[in-house]
Amino acid sequence: MTNLLWLRQDLRLHDQPALVAAAQAGAVIPVYILDDDAPGDWRIGGAQRWWLHHSLKALGDALAEKGSRLILRRGDAVAILTELMERTGAGAIHAIRHYEPWWRKAEAALGERLCLHDGNHLAPPERVTTGSGGQFRIYSAFWKGLQEHLPPERPVDAPRTIPAPDRWPESEMLADWHLLPTTPDWSGGFDWTPGEDEARHKVAALALDGYDERRNLPSEHGTSRLSPHLHFGEVSPRAVWHATDAHDVTFRKELAWRDFTDGVVLALPDYADRNGRPAFDRLPWRTGRDATADLKAWQQGRTGYPIVDAGMRQLWQSGWMHNRVRMIAASFVIKHLLIDWREGERWYWDCLVDADYGNNAVNWQWVAGTGIDANMFGRIMAPLSQSEKFDAAGYIRRWVPELAELPDAAIHDPDAAGCRPAAYPAKLIGHREARERALAAGRKVR
C-alpha cells in the first residue's frame, strides 16, 4: 500500500514517527505543501521563508540518499492531499500532529484519511492537563504536571531505506516558490545552516556548563541557538532532552516552555490576536503619526537606547535576537513607547527565523502583562540598567558601530555620559517619563 507523508514543521528523518509508521505500512510519498492561505494573517514571514527554502533543500537531499524524494506542491493543503490520494491510490496520510489553529482545522477536514502521530513535544499537550482535564495556564503548574510524563520516549532512528512507489506524482520546483529574498536582500548576513544535519550537530555539541548565567549575557555565545531547528522540526524535543543531563534543569525548562505554549494556543487558538486578560482591551495604546514614527524607529534600531537598538539591528541583520534582549526590546516598545504589543509581535514574526505561533504569542503577552500567565503591566524593564547588569558592552559594539569607540562606562547610556556621537540618535523618550506614562495607562485598565 502507498501512503502519503505530510510534512510541515517536522522536516527531519530521525525520530520521525509519521515516517516510521508510513514506511512500515508500505511505499511512502513525502509531501510538503506551501499553503499560504490557511494561516491567513499568520502566513510565514520573510525570515522563515529563507530558512524554509534551505531546510527543504536539505531534506530533499537526505530523502534522495535513502532512495526517496520530496514532492513539493503549493496551494490548499487539504485539497492537494485529497487529490494526491486519488491520483496515487494512497491508503492513508501520515503526519505529526500540529497545534496552530489553521493546521488543526486542516487535520479535522481530512478526517479518517489522516493518521496523526505525536513527535514534536516532550509529551502531547492533550495529556499534560489540570485535575479537571483542561490545559495549564500557569507555567510553573505545567512544569510540575509535566513531570508525570518524563522522561520522554527515546528517539528512534531514521529508516535505513524508505520504500518508494512505482510511480511518483509531479513535483513543483523549489526555486519557483521564490522563498529567498530579493530586494532588499537583508538575509545576506544570516549566519545559519538550516537542515537536520546541522541541528543534530548542534545537539551533539551542546555545552551547558554555566548555562544559568551565560544565557543572559548578550556578549557571550551562551545560548544553544537551537530555536529555529526546533521550530522547523529539524530535531525533535525528545532528542534534545536525552542529549542533556538531569542537572541541566534551566535548559530543560526552556525546552518544556515550547510544549506549554502549544497547550495555551490549544485552549485559546486566537491568543496571538487577543489579550489574554480582556480588561486590557481598555488600555489606551498610542496611535497616530507620532506613534507610527516611534514604531519605525524601534524597528530600525534607532531609539537612542543602545541595548534596544543593538537587539533590533541584530534581528534585522541575522534573523535572530538574544533572548534577554528580546524581552528588553519587547518591553521597550510596549511600555516605553506605549504601542500595542501586537505591533511588535508582528515585526518579530516577519523577522525571526524561529518565529513560532504559540511561543511568539505567549512571550509577547508575558512581557506585556496582558496574558494569562504574565508579569504585571506595571513591571517595566529598565533597558539602561539591564544593559549594564548583563554586561552588554561587547554586544552593543558589534551591532551599533556608531558607539564602538565608547568606553564601557559610557556605552550603555551615551546621553547620560555626555558623549553621544552625532550619528547616533537621542532617546525617543526618557526612562522616567516613559515609566510614568505607562503606569498612568495601566491605571485606566484597573
Side-chain angles (χ1 to χ4, degrees):
M1 177 187 295
T2 298
N3 299 274
L4 301 182
L5 173 65
W6 181 24
L7 296 161
R8 288 171 287 178
Q9 288 158 211
D10 38 47
L11 305 179
R12 64 181 184 273
L13 303 184
H14 180 262
D15 200 29
Q16 231 300 5
L19 168 60
V20 171
Q24 289 175 345
V28 181
I29 300 177
V31 181
Y32 182 90
I33 301 168
L34 180 63
D35 188 342
D36 277 333
D37 291 331
D41 291 342
W42 293 104
R43 64 186 295 234
I44 63 173
Q48 293 177 76
R49 296 173 101 79
W50 175 91
W51 189 287
L52 178 64
H53 174 94
H54 294 290
S55 189
L56 289 175
K57 174 66 168 59
L59 180 62
D61 292 344
L63 284 166
E65 291 178 2
K66 293 186 176 294
S68 186
R69 64 179 68 172
L70 180 61
I71 301 301
L72 300 176
R73 293 291 181 88
R74 179 173 42 186
D76 182 277
V78 174
I80 290 172
L81 289 168
T82 301
E83 182 261 338
L84 282 173
M85 287 193 77
E86 294 173 353
R87 284 183 174 271
T88 63
I93 305 165
H94 290 269
I96 288 182
R97 194 184 315 272
H98 282 57
Y99 291 86
E100 293 82 357
W102 53 91
W103 290 138
R104 293 185 65 217
K105 181 179 179 181
E107 290 168 1
L110 289 167
E112 295 182 354
R113 295 169 290 180
L114 181 64
C115 300
L116 287 171
H117 307 268
D118 296 308
N120 274 5
H121 299 83
L122 299 173
E126 296 94 335
R127 297 182 193 171
V128 188
T129 56
T130 65
S132 61
Q135 300 301 135
F136 283 101
R137 300 194 176 198
I138 303 297
Y139 177 71
S140 57
F142 169 84
W143 173 252
K144 184 177 180 180
L146 180 64
Q147 304 311 303
E148 300 177 10
H149 304 272
L150 296 177
E153 295 180 7
R154 287 276 176 183
V156 297
D157 291 334
R160 292 186 177 180
T161 60
I162 300 174
D166 293 333
R167 293 183 61 186
W168 287 97
E170 293 183 359
S171 174
E172 297 181 27
M173 298 296 292
L174 181 59
D176 291 340
W177 287 3
H178 302 293
L179 296 174
L180 298 178
T182 53
T183 304
D185 184 9
W186 46 263
S187 68
F190 281 17
D191 183 21
W192 298 95
T193 303
E196 182 177 9
D197 286 347
E198 177 67 11
R200 297 190 68 189
H201 172 74
K202 283 182 179 176
V203 171
L206 273 176
L208 299 176
D209 291 342
Y211 181 78
D212 280 8
E213 294 183 4
R214 294 178 62 238
R215 69 192 176 107
N216 279 314
L217 304 176
S219 297
E220 294 193 16
H221 297 291
T223 63
S224 70
R225 289 173 64 89
L226 278 172
S227 54
H229 299 289
L230 283 163
H231 169 70
F232 282 92
E234 296 172 347
V235 65
S236 71
R238 62 188 184 186
V240 178
W241 178 280
H242 285 291
T244 64
D245 297 320
H247 67 270
D248 297 322
V249 177
T250 299
F251 182 82
R252 284 182 165 183
K253 281 186 173 181
E254 292 178 345
L255 192 62
W257 177 263
R258 306 181 70 85
D259 280 27
F260 170 68
T261 61
D262 273 344
V264 171
V265 298
L266 176 61
L268 303 169
D270 60 354
Y271 198 70
D273 293 299
R274 297 182 61 181
N275 292 316
R277 300 178 184 179
F280 280 91
D281 294 346
R282 301 194 300 270
L283 196 143
W285 299 112
R286 291 175 62 227
T287 58
R289 182 180 300 176
D290 289 346
T292 299
D294 285 353
L295 176 62
K296 186 174 182 180
W298 175 78
Q299 292 170 342
Q300 294 178 340
R302 297 190 60 79
T303 69
Y305 285 78
I307 193 167
V308 174
D309 294 340
M312 298 307 295
R313 297 185 194 188
Q314 181 188 30
L315 173 64
W316 181 253
Q317 295 175 41
S318 74
W320 188 82
M321 196 195 309
H322 186 276
N323 186 60
R324 167 61 56 175
V325 187
R326 290 190 197 198
M327 291 190 291
I328 295 170
S331 178
F332 185 88
V333 74
I334 296 166
K335 309 292 177 65
H336 281 67
L337 301 183
L338 204 59
I339 291 173
D340 194 321
W341 60 269
R342 283 158 286 215
E343 295 283 357
E345 178 194 33
R346 295 284 180 168
W347 187 251
Y348 275 22
W349 179 261
D350 192 43
C351 296
L352 283 170
V353 291
D354 62 7
D356 181 270
Y357 182 77
N359 212 4
N360 205 36
V362 174
N363 287 344
W364 271 93
Q365 293 223 51
W366 185 87
V367 173
T370 59
I372 55 177
D373 180 11
N375 274 321
M376 295 176 60
F377 183 81
R379 182 185 175 189
I380 300 170
M381 298 183 78
L384 303 175
S385 59
Q386 286 272 315
S387 179
E388 189 170 2
K389 177 181 179 181
F390 294 108
D391 193 20
Y395 178 75
I396 293 168
R397 288 193 179 94
R398 177 178 180 183
W399 296 108
V400 188
E402 308 98 293
L403 306 179
E405 302 302 320
L406 296 185
D408 287 2
I411 200 168
H412 305 289
D413 189 359
D415 279 339
C419 58
R420 175 172 56 85
Y424 185 67
K427 296 184 180 73
L428 292 176
I429 188 172
H431 175 65
R432 180 176 296 180
E433 178 187 353
R435 185 175 185 277
E436 291 174 354
R437 182 173 67 180
L439 292 176
R443 285 192 290 271
K444 294 183 180 180
V445 172
R446 294 197 300 270

